[in-house]
Amino acid sequence: MNVTLSYAAAQEPVPCEPDPREPLPAGRERARQWVQLCARQWPLLPLIGTVLLLAAPLPAGGAAGGGGPTPADLASGALVVLCLARVLWTRATPLSPRAVVVLALPAVGIAVAAVTAADPVAALPGFVRYLQVFVLVPTAVVLLVRDARDFRTVVGALAVLALAQGAVGVHQYATGTGASYMGEDVRAVGTFGPTDVMGMATVVSYGLLAAVALALRPPPGAPRWLRPAALALGAALLVPLALSFSRGAWIATGVAAAVLLPLAGLRVAVRALAVGTAVSVVLVGGFGIGSEMISQRLDSITRVSAAPDRSVSDRYAMWAAAASMWRAEPVTGVGLKGFPAHRDAHSSVGLSSGSDTAGAGQTFHRQALLSPHNMYLLILGEQGLIGAVAFVGSWAALLVGGVRRLVRSGRRRRSGRPAARDCGLVAVALLTWQTVDFLYADIGGPSTVLTGVVLGLAAWWALAPDEVRGPDETPDRDGTPDRDGTSTA
């Protein structure tokens, strides 16, 4: 009997495991790809969240810059904590000595200015903010962005944010619900409000330059629709940038584009310049989008010395006040957050008490002038030569390193090896924009956290210890490329 049962049991079919070499059904294959994508991208979620949370309307008081940390600031804090946990867990040395020096250099000026401030307790918020924007967030971006694919994911988030804020800005202009400008509520400011008029212009400029870079040099193996889509995105973002009426953003975007085009190649630059000129003529000349106000704003750029308007006169007075603070304390400056306290003692009687803000859902109020609207002079006045040398030296190292690597990547491309030139073009363009814009603006407002993200992207491109590789060259954990040319590391 036992023998019979054993024989019968042996004849029952035994279920076998599926052959891994056989292709999975389409649904299961898509699910597997989504799982792999989520497993790969989860470390980037705090970084992507830091960017995309700026598309949401700010809480009460946040638009005015007086409501404490914004959701994007909290996400950037989670970003820094995640990077610290990963470094402690892996016990690795993820940064080269050169990268450590360049990224940590601004911390020297920040620390000295905080310690030497007349009121170190009052300087503490400034110390935290500077450390967040110029040291911690850029370092976290460098640590989390592992390859060109991650870089493009973050740039894609920037483009989505720019499109969302730009759409809000165009709607504000069309419906008369924007910030007050020349007696009308038509200034496009997005969700940042009238007290951060540079916020939307900054975001839109980032997205515009990223779109132009991708249109000039699409990634290796990119689908055919990417270039026309990038061109369409760039053309669309020109509208809210124009309607922001931000002269500083216009100048910075023009300079960044002038740097970007030659780096992309002469023939590509000529075609792109022709397309950009045609689009600008059609949007402003053909459709007349804000043509009269834009022409007046452009004309005011050429009259900043002959017959400046009130905002320009106040800016000149604040620049002179910051320079006077530096002359009084040339080495260490007057200390972090010291500009408002020392402003009246170093400014002329022609400086007004503040600027008028209204519109975009807020009532009229007077906004105090608490900074010189020039990042270089603000650092010089509050942190002295120590801070100025530290900050400018760090940014110059990133810009020079980024351009050098971009040139080397062009040689690799001509030799037949793939190179992530699109990442280099985006990084150099964004950093160029930021360094030029700092001539007309400084940190402040909810959009400030994006400055740290941009500096981090530029640092990833310029300071990566190994040669940055394109998607076809990114190694897997075992040192071999994946079949689809991407990495699972």
Side-chain angles (χ1 to χ4, degrees):
M1 183 65 177
N2 292 337
V3 174
T4 304
L5 290 176
S6 300
Y7 178 79
Q11 298 302 314
E12 294 180 2
V14 178
C16 58
E17 296 293 333
D19 189 351
R21 294 172 297 181
E22 295 181 0
L24 295 175
R28 292 182 62 186
E29 178 64 21
R30 283 194 296 269
R32 183 184 69 84
Q33 293 176 354
W34 272 105
V35 169
Q36 289 182 345
L37 180 62
C38 293
R40 171 185 170 79
Q41 299 295 347
W42 76 263
L44 287 179
L45 291 182
L47 178 53
I48 297 173
T50 300
V51 175
L52 295 183
L53 281 175
L54 288 171
L58 293 170
T70 64
D73 291 324
L74 298 178
S76 70
L79 171 70
V80 173
V81 171
L82 173 63
C83 285
L84 179 61
R86 290 188 64 189
V87 171
L88 294 177
W89 177 262
T90 58
R91 298 181 180 179
T93 306
L95 297 176
S96 66
R98 180 175 60 127
V100 171
V101 171
V102 173
L103 291 172
L105 196 56
V108 176
I110 300 170
V112 172
V115 172
T116 58
D119 187 355
V121 176
L124 185 59
F127 174 80
V128 174
R129 187 61 160 169
Y130 271 85
L131 204 64
Q132 172 206 13
V133 175
F134 296 110
V135 180
L136 296 180
V137 171
T139 303
V141 173
V142 173
L143 294 177
L144 282 184
V145 176
R146 295 157 294 183
D147 52 28
R149 172 183 287 184
D150 287 354
F151 186 100
R152 293 166 187 141
T153 300
V154 179
V155 171
L158 278 176
V160 171
L161 174 64
L163 193 59
Q165 289 288 356
V168 174
V170 172
H171 179 266
Q172 289 171 336
Y173 175 83
T175 58
T177 56
S180 178
Y181 177 74
M182 297 180 65
E184 301 180 58
D185 294 342
V186 294
R187 189 169 191 175
V189 293
T191 63
F192 297 108
T195 57
D196 187 14
V197 293
M198 282 292 296
M200 190 215 69
T202 298
V203 169
V204 169
S205 299
Y206 290 160
L208 174 60
L209 291 173
V212 171
L214 290 177
L216 293 175
R217 290 294 179 190
R224 292 184 177 179
W225 54 263
L226 181 61
R227 173 168 279 174
L231 287 173
L233 176 61
L237 292 178
L238 276 175
V239 179
L241 179 61
L243 299 179
S244 69
F245 302 114
S246 174
R247 293 169 293 197
W250 294 348
I251 294 173
T253 303
V255 173
V259 172
L260 182 65
L261 293 178
L263 291 174
L266 181 59
R267 288 182 298 177
V268 175
V270 171
R271 291 198 298 265
L273 190 61
V275 171
T277 303
V279 170
S280 300
V281 170
V282 170
L283 290 178
V284 179
F287 294 110
I289 299 178
S291 56
E292 182 177 356
M293 290 184 176
I294 292 174
S295 62
Q296 293 176 358
R297 195 66 165 171
L298 286 172
D299 183 57
S300 69
I301 296 177
T302 63
R303 292 186 286 104
V304 293
S305 58
D309 55 34
R310 186 64 192 179
S311 64
V312 176
S313 299
D314 286 342
R315 185 164 301 186
Y316 286 164
M318 291 188 293
W319 288 3
S324 177
M325 294 177 198
W326 168 68
R327 286 192 296 268
E329 298 288 344
V331 179
T332 60
V334 297
L336 290 180
K337 293 292 183 179
F339 183 87
H342 294 80
R343 182 198 62 186
D344 294 338
H346 293 270
S347 61
S348 64
V349 294
L351 178 63
S352 62
S353 60
S355 59
D356 300 336
T357 60
Q362 295 188 25
T363 58
F364 172 85
H365 72 278
R366 193 83 168 162
Q367 184 180 8
L369 302 175
L370 303 179
S371 68
H373 295 288
N374 182 305
M375 194 66 207
Y376 303 105
L377 289 176
L378 178 62
I379 294 173
L380 193 64
E382 292 188 343
Q383 303 180 38
L385 285 176
I386 295 177
V389 170
F391 275 87
V392 175
S394 176
W395 299 337
L398 293 181
L399 190 57
V400 172
V403 173
R404 288 182 59 188
R405 175 155 284 178
L406 187 57
V407 173
R408 289 201 303 267
S409 69
R411 298 195 189 104
R412 296 174 66 234
R413 181 184 62 85
R414 287 191 294 270
S415 65
R417 294 178 292 171
R421 284 179 56 79
D422 59 301
C423 299
L425 290 174
V426 172
V428 172
L430 293 181
L431 185 57
T432 301
W433 187 95
Q434 196 64 70
T435 53
V436 174
D437 182 72
F438 275 161
L439 293 170
Y440 312 97
D442 47 46
I443 61 172
S447 60
T448 298
V449 68
L450 280 184
T451 303
V453 174
V454 166
L455 292 175
L457 293 176
W460 175 85
W461 172 258
L463 301 175
D466 299 322
E467 185 70 20
V468 176
R469 286 168 283 210
D472 295 333
E473 298 180 291
T474 306
D476 200 345
R477 295 185 186 274
D478 59 358
T480 59
D482 292 344
R483 286 177 298 177
D484 60 352
T486 59
S487 169
T488 58

